[in-house]
Amino acid sequence: MEQMFSGHTRLAALFAKPARHSISPAMHNLSFSENNIDAVYLAFDVEPENLATSIESIRTLDMLGVNLSMPHKMAAVPLVDALSPAAALIGAINTIVNDNGHLTGHNTDGIGFMKALEAIDVSIIGETITVIGAGGAATAIISQAALDGVKEIQVFNRKDAFYPVIEVKLQEIAQQTGCNITLQDLADDSALADALNKSQLLVNATGVGMKPNESESPLKDTSLLRASMAVYDVIYNPRETQLLRDAKAAGAKTANGLSMLLYQGAAAFELWTGKEMPVKKVQALIETL
Ligand code: NAP
């Protein structure tokens, strides 16, 4: 469908660095067009020192709102007027909604993750899951899963200088949600084996296995994988990581990070427009990109 622009056309955007490789413009422009919404979505390379003025321009230009990606997700938090409960818990935002100059920060990454599981018929409410990694993507996933009622989340990370900081953050999420969250050393093989043994789902929330290191996997012992579990990898480049290949070989249900990307975008689109993203059409489009 051809999109026409007018004097009334509203702007939505991605602020990131780098931003030009993003598939969000394709997702949102197709969705505006399919919903007959007079709006356009552009990607802007925004340097950290220009983030505050860029966010101010959301008001100045009466934009619908923006998405934020690396390196702005945490830095943008003090620059908005209000935060959604999930964004406050996570401490990072990937979406800003402009309501007549009042800017609200949301984090739709975790929502996207939970929707992505729904799409493959995996229910983790009341269950135990294991998450490898404790960075930005992991924190969004852990927070949303805890808010939605996952019983226990066993998090594994390398024991580096960041480890004590993560420990405090995870305790805060556990206290605020009532979810039982533990952090353990990724090098502790027996703790990882115990955790996976009682988990319905394993999530890779690290970049291990991403192009060009496609033969790497965050899980060395593939005998810990089994058919009665699901495995979700936040990576979508490549579409099938070594971890997902190993999980498939063990008979487990799998999905890659493309669905999280799709559904975080769908949630942002709905916040800006009140309309549903045509996810099937958008999925078909992004699978070709
Ligand atoms: P981040 O904040 O930098 O966190 C990276 C995490 O991976 C940290 O926990 C880090 O541990 C761990 N890690 C890095 N290298 C490792 C290694 N060699 N072995 C074990 N652990 C390692 O990054 P992020 O923003 O969370 O992104 C992580 C991945 O998620 C990226 O591949 C990104 O593309 C993907 N992602 C996908 C979506 C989606 O929609 N599908 C959304 C956001 C992000 P340390 O603390 O020890 O460094």
Side-chain angles (χ1 to χ4, degrees):
M1 201 183 294
E2 198 163 318
Q3 179 101 9
M4 297 294 288
F5 302 119
S6 73
H8 297 282
T9 304
R10 301 281 303 279
L11 177 64
L14 170 68
F15 293 166
K17 180 72 192 186
R20 304 293 181 188
H21 66 288
S22 170
I23 59 181
S24 291
M27 287 171 56
H28 290 287
N29 286 319
L30 175 63
S31 305
F32 287 142
S33 173
E34 288 289 323
N35 276 289
N36 288 315
I37 295 170
D38 189 6
V40 64
Y41 185 109
L42 301 174
F44 295 109
D45 272 335
V46 172
E47 298 290 346
E49 62 269 29
N50 295 328
L51 182 64
T53 48
S54 300
I55 288 180
E56 187 50 36
S57 73
I58 300 170
R59 292 191 187 92
T60 318
L61 304 178
D62 191 27
M63 294 172 68
L64 282 176
V66 297
N67 284 137
L68 298 157
S69 193
M70 288 299 122
H72 303 314
K73 289 184 177 183
M74 288 167 87
V77 168
L79 301 173
V80 294
D81 302 312
L83 292 174
S84 71
L89 189 61
I90 296 162
I93 59 179
N94 75 336
T95 303
I96 298 177
V97 177
N98 178 19
D99 184 12
N100 292 315
H102 186 265
L103 304 184
T104 304
H106 296 260
N107 194 314
T108 66
D109 281 336
I111 298 170
F113 166 76
M114 294 300 284
K115 278 265 182 205
L117 293 185
E118 229 179 274
I120 54 164
D121 284 328
V122 170
S123 173
I124 56 170
I125 308 307
E127 306 286 357
T128 296
I129 69 169
T130 294
V131 177
I132 300 181
T139 306
I141 287 169
I142 292 162
S143 299
Q144 195 65 49
L147 281 170
D148 288 0
V150 167
K151 188 178 77 183
E152 188 173 348
I153 306 176
Q154 307 232 11
V155 184
F156 288 83
N157 204 76
R158 296 184 294 193
K159 210 159 192 176
D160 53 16
F162 193 49
Y163 196 90
V165 180
I166 305 166
E167 207 154 30
V168 172
K169 181 69 192 167
L170 292 179
Q171 261 166 27
E172 187 191 313
I173 299 169
Q175 267 162 16
Q176 290 191 34
T177 59
C179 179
N180 182 9
I181 306 175
T182 54
L183 176 65
Q184 295 176 86
D185 185 357
L186 184 56
D188 186 339
D189 293 335
S190 78
L192 188 59
D194 282 351
L196 286 176
N197 202 23
K198 55 179 183 169
S199 288
Q200 296 296 116
L201 171 74
L202 165 65
V203 182
N204 173 37
T206 75
V208 179
M210 225 164 106
K211 254 183 189 164
N213 303 313
E214 286 148 290
S215 60
E216 290 180 9
S217 170
L219 185 73
K220 310 287 173 247
D221 183 357
T222 57
S223 73
L224 299 177
L225 298 163
R226 56 176 204 280
S228 60
M229 76 195 299
V231 178
Y232 192 88
D233 200 325
V234 294
I235 294 171
Y236 49 86
N237 195 7
R239 299 287 192 261
E240 193 169 77
T241 56
Q242 185 60 49
L243 174 65
L244 293 187
R245 275 196 293 279
D246 293 339
K248 265 189 189 165
K253 205 178 242 190
T254 63
N256 67 41
L258 207 57
S259 51
M260 178 170 159
L261 184 76
L262 171 70
Y263 289 108
Q264 65 74 32
F269 185 83
E270 203 165 329
L271 286 166
W272 294 326
T273 66
K275 299 276 196 297
E276 275 182 30
M277 178 175 270
V279 285
K280 287 220 154 55
K281 285 187 176 164
V282 173
Q283 186 170 22
L285 172 71
I286 64 178
E287 272 168 4
T288 66
L289 298 176

